[in-house]
Amino acid sequence: MLKITNLHAKVGEKAILKGLSLTVKAGEVHAIMGPNGSGKSTLSYILAGRPGYTVTDGTAEYEGKDLLAMEPEIRAREGVFLAFQYPVEIPGVSNKYFLKAAYNSVRKHRGEPEMDAGAFLKFIKEKAKSVEMDPAFLNRSVNEGFSGGEKKRNEVLQLAVLEPKLALLDETDSGLDIDALKVVAEGVNRMRDPKRAFVVVTHYQRLLDYIVPDHVHVLSGGRIIKSGGKELALELEKRGYGWIEDKVAA
Amino acid sequence: MIAEALAAQKEGWRYTPAATLTGPDFKPAGVPESILPLAGRVLCPVGFHRAALVNGRWEAKHAVLKLPDGVTVEPLARASGLEELLGRLVPDDLPLAKIASAARDGFVVRVARHARVDRPIHLVHISQATAAAQSSQARVVVVLEPGASAELVEETLSFGDAPSWKNVRSQVELGEGSFLRHHRIVREGTQGRLTVGLEVTLASRARYESHALNFGGLFAREDLRVRLEGEGAECALNGLALLGGSEFADHHSIVEHAAVNGVTRQLYKAVIDDKARYVFDGLISVKPGAQKTDAQVYNKNLLLSEEARVNTNPEFKILADDVSCKHGGAVGQLSLEALFYLRSRGIGADEARRLLVYAFGSEMVDRVALEPLKLALADALHGRMPEGNL
């Protein structure tokens, strides 16, 4: 589904990714772990198409197409979804309207008819219930005044509504207490599907207790320096990142 | 005469392109050959009481007035008993209002003690200039006696391709405990110029809710003067300007707190695209003895192009010591973070921009309490959204 080969990227003049390669197949859950500043968020943003990054070398193919050549909205309509580490507040745009606009633009792209307001409201209320979100949040402005946990829950709600093929979760666990973390993880687990892949970017192993990955990768210095199964995450939790980085340096 | 009057106004006209007014050779507008129908031209929904001025003259054909007892809407030319109000001097810094004082026609709205107008009153100011540049003068007088209440929608429009200029002097007198909602919708088109000098006085516990809504036009300037004369008077001043092309809008206001316990809440917003320009100058002046004044003045602007310009100046002059006063001005562009967030959910770049601009402006439309008017304004807001070439 996703094939990243030798990806190099910089922000301004600063090189962040330095030859990253990663292959993700449908149905898989990959965790990308790494210390702060290793390039985790940069990777998520580049895959989603955020402006401000320059890819200097390498490729990212999504379902055989050049992902990096697509506008951000096309990536989304094609089934790529980024759950933001810091979801953006948008005063004046109701959450409900935002979700409907997003949902219908994806449907339109797929050649499906747009859903009318009444049907959508019913649909969205069910989805909100599934992530234990108070329906009152649907009428509020997007993320405005939401707590950290509510914002993350809203990201998972969008995930549930848009039903992407490839979901990138960027530090979805940051700022969550254990109860909120469980709700978010359950929301994600419910979405696991043989046709859908997840890339879970996280600093801590804690999230992976609830979203159990098939593969774990260590990102450091802009490259993946070690890959393994879920046990690698436990080892990282115990021993930190230093031992791998030392080994690679040696 | 106009050029001289404006030339003498250095201070408040620094950012206002007076040449737009003095350039064309305006002649007093006459009665047009045919009166164009209002249907499809006015934004305000039907079903309101209605009166109209065409080129500064009361047009009986447009009047739809079945008013309840205690409420009158009449042409200035026929109104009586207003000598004191009509004869009141115009402040020296409102030279155009001084000129409009000589107007022979206009609207007079009176609501008797404790009377309530059943439906909003729609007052339409129309310029109809087809060949040569035409100007017209008009006066508006609104008097609410103690305890009365009314909802007023003034709409200004220009028909025809020739340059037109409407110059209006308005006076609003709000008696003790009265309440007026006053909407002013400007849709002047590419040749329309509008200048308004609006003076409002509030007696004790009177409330004035104002919505200055500019949906475009070559040139529109409103000088709003609000005087909170009696104690406990309150005013809410809302403003929105949506400007593109080479349009210009100017909102000057002075709110004078002359008594204790007065409240002012002022928020004006502007969306400025292309080469348009906007000026906001909002002064709140707290007089000696106007203790417990609670006043706020804010202006927020969204610039959508490199060449769009705004001059903003919210300020206070405070001569009392026990007051709460806040002010602020902001000029910004669309948030790139918000744009990316919307796009990352599949919403196209152009739609995302429109959504954000709409969200910025809709705050002011949402403040309009008259439901049918609010819907019409929301449509108009949609119609003024930028196209994809941002």
Side-chain angles (χ1 to χ4, degrees):
Chain A
M1 178 172 283
L2 177 68
K3 189 164 188 279
I4 304 171
T5 312
N6 190 34
L7 191 63
H8 288 71
K10 55 184 190 182
V11 178
E13 285 308 306
K14 192 167 183 256
I16 308 280
L17 300 183
K18 303 168 186 168
L20 184 143
S21 297
L22 175 70
T23 301
V24 178
K25 296 199 179 85
E28 293 178 344
V29 175
H30 289 246
I32 295 183
M33 303 184 68
N36 290 326
S38 57
K40 299 192 302 288
S41 284
T42 298
L43 175 64
S44 311
Y45 279 141
I46 285 178
L47 294 177
R50 187 184 197 228
Y53 299 90
T54 316
V55 173
T56 50
D57 198 7
T59 57
E61 268 180 30
Y62 168 71
E63 296 195 309
K65 292 176 219 164
D66 180 0
L67 181 67
L68 303 178
M70 297 179 198
E71 294 294 330
E73 58 268 35
I74 302 299
R75 300 181 198 200
R77 293 171 196 169
E78 290 279 335
V80 178
F81 180 91
L82 169 65
F84 282 56
Q85 181 178 4
Y86 303 109
V88 181
E89 298 193 7
I90 308 183
V93 177
S94 82
N95 215 11
K96 188 169 70 182
Y97 184 86
F98 162 61
L99 287 162
K100 180 165 156 275
Y103 182 69
N104 278 333
S105 64
V106 171
R107 280 179 70 105
K108 204 171 154 191
H109 186 72
R110 291 183 192 148
E112 296 166 13
E114 295 187 16
M115 200 184 260
D116 68 48
F120 184 77
L121 198 61
K122 211 174 144 205
F123 167 74
I124 193 82
K125 279 186 176 161
E126 281 301 311
K127 294 285 185 186
K129 207 194 258 177
S130 76
V131 295
E132 296 178 33
M133 181 191 270
D134 181 345
F137 282 90
L138 296 173
N139 291 321
R140 288 175 50 179
S141 290
V142 177
N143 293 324
E144 193 185 26
F146 287 24
S147 71
E150 286 156 358
K151 283 180 182 168
K152 294 298 169 76
R153 205 171 291 202
N154 205 27
E155 294 294 290
V156 178
L157 172 64
Q158 293 165 41
L159 175 71
V161 167
L162 297 176
E163 300 184 323
K165 293 179 203 160
L166 174 64
L168 313 164
L169 310 182
D170 186 9
E171 307 266 2
T172 294
D173 49 334
S174 69
L176 292 189
D177 62 32
I178 196 72
D179 292 329
L181 181 72
K182 280 182 187 166
V183 172
V184 165
E186 277 165 27
V188 170
N189 286 331
R190 213 173 297 124
M191 298 287 292
R192 286 181 79 153
D193 185 288
K195 290 186 190 138
R196 183 173 291 130
F198 287 87
V199 176
V200 181
V201 173
T202 181
H203 185 78
Y204 300 104
Q205 192 269 335
R206 188 177 71 149
L207 178 67
L208 305 179
D209 286 341
Y210 299 97
I211 303 173
V212 181
D214 304 303
H215 303 275
V216 174
H217 310 277
V218 178
L219 180 59
S220 176
R223 288 165 52 226
I224 286 176
I225 56 168
K226 190 172 176 61
S227 297
K230 62 184 172 214
E231 64 290 342
L232 177 58
L234 294 168
E235 201 170 354
L236 288 168
E237 181 75 358
K238 242 181 279 165
R239 299 175 63 184
Y241 292 105
W243 63 280
I244 307 178
E245 288 176 319
D246 292 347
K247 231 158 116 180
V248 170
Chain B
M1 173 166 115
I2 285 163
E4 286 85 57
L6 292 179
Q9 298 301 313
K10 291 213 168 51
E11 194 48 42
W13 284 73
R14 187 177 303 157
Y15 302 111
T16 311
T20 315
L21 300 177
T22 54
D25 184 18
F26 285 108
K27 299 277 189 265
V31 181
E33 283 174 17
S34 65
I35 300 295
L36 295 169
L38 295 183
R41 290 192 168 86
V42 291
L43 179 144
C44 199
V46 291
F48 291 2
H49 299 296
R50 177 178 283 167
L53 298 176
V54 176
N55 289 352
R57 285 179 182 81
W58 178 277
E59 178 48 60
K61 276 184 205 154
H62 290 321
V64 183
L65 296 163
K66 288 197 177 107
L67 296 158
D69 286 348
V71 183
T72 59
V73 177
E74 51 190 342
L76 178 75
R78 279 212 310 264
S80 59
L82 289 167
E83 291 73 18
E84 188 276 328
L85 191 56
L86 291 173
R88 226 177 266 178
L89 288 179
V90 185
D92 281 338
D93 55 351
L94 296 179
L96 296 175
K98 212 169 257 181
I99 292 166
S101 289
R104 278 166 301 176
D105 216 343
F107 299 117
V108 175
V109 177
R110 281 182 275 200
V111 185
R113 189 174 281 264
H114 298 297
R116 203 190 165 282
V117 186
D118 53 345
R119 282 176 285 150
I121 298 166
H122 183 199
L123 303 176
V124 196
H125 300 256
I126 299 158
S127 294
Q128 224 176 292
T130 42
Q134 297 191 339
S135 63
S136 60
Q137 320 288 328
R139 295 191 70 163
V140 177
V141 173
V142 179
V143 179
L144 266 60
E145 291 185 4
S149 68
E151 289 157 333
L152 205 60
V153 184
E154 282 188 78
E155 191 170 352
T156 61
L157 298 158
S158 295
F159 304 153
D161 306 324
S164 68
W165 176 13
K166 283 185 282 297
N167 182 35
V168 183
R169 180 187 182 195
S170 297
Q171 290 165 281
V172 174
E173 292 278 307
L174 300 180
E176 197 175 319
S178 66
F179 177 35
L180 178 68
R181 285 201 171 108
H182 190 189
H183 313 76
R184 298 175 303 287
I185 303 168
V186 175
R187 288 163 67 235
E188 280 295 336
T190 54
Q191 285 297 328
R193 296 150 179 85
L194 173 70
T195 49
V196 177
L198 166 57
E199 294 170 78
V200 184
T201 55
L202 286 79
S204 302
R205 292 180 307 284
R207 286 183 297 147
Y208 180 60
E209 181 188 301
S210 160
H211 302 267
L213 305 166
N214 186 316
F215 287 85
L218 181 67
F219 180 106
R221 171 164 172 147
E222 179 177 273
D223 282 274
L224 171 62
R225 301 289 160 91
V226 181
R227 187 173 153 83
L228 282 68
E229 236 163 40
E231 60 183 82
E234 294 182 13
C235 72
L237 308 178
N238 306 293
L240 176 65
L242 304 169
L243 307 171
S246 44
E247 292 174 334
F248 172 80
D250 186 336
H251 284 134
H252 265 70
S253 63
I254 300 176
V255 180
E256 209 175 271
H257 279 257
V260 298
N261 285 321
V263 178
T264 295
R265 289 287 178 274
Q266 183 170 17
L267 172 61
Y268 277 50
K269 282 184 158 189
V271 179
I272 309 131
D273 199 355
D274 305 322
K275 294 179 181 175
R277 289 186 49 207
Y278 179 66
V279 174
F280 175 83
D281 195 301
L283 170 69
I284 295 184
S285 163
V286 183
K287 297 288 168 193
Q291 303 295 14
K292 306 286 180 193
T293 287
D294 174 4
Q296 298 177 2
V297 50
Y298 291 101
N299 171 234
K300 296 179 186 175
N301 303 286
L302 182 57
L303 294 177
L304 297 181
S305 84
E306 291 283 320
E307 292 174 285
R309 291 280 176 277
V310 60
N311 296 96
T312 176
N313 182 36
E315 62 172 331
F316 274 101
K317 197 157 86 189
I318 303 172
L319 298 172
D321 52 13
D322 182 14
V323 300
S324 161
C325 295
K326 292 177 192 157
H327 70 295
V331 180
Q333 293 167 320
L334 284 181
S335 153
L336 293 177
E337 285 296 320
L339 269 177
F340 174 61
Y341 191 67
L342 294 171
R343 294 178 73 189
S344 80
R345 297 302 181 245
I347 298 170
D350 294 343
E351 194 189 345
R353 287 188 188 99
R354 282 192 287 271
L355 196 55
L356 293 176
V357 175
Y358 186 85
F360 180 84
S362 66
E363 181 185 1
M364 304 320 295
V365 170
D366 288 343
R367 291 181 175 207
V368 172
L370 297 176
E371 205 57 38
L373 180 62
K374 186 195 288 192
L375 293 176
L377 291 169
D379 280 348
L381 179 58
H382 265 296
R384 292 286 293 180
M385 284 303 103
E387 295 306 320
N389 57 349
L390 289 169

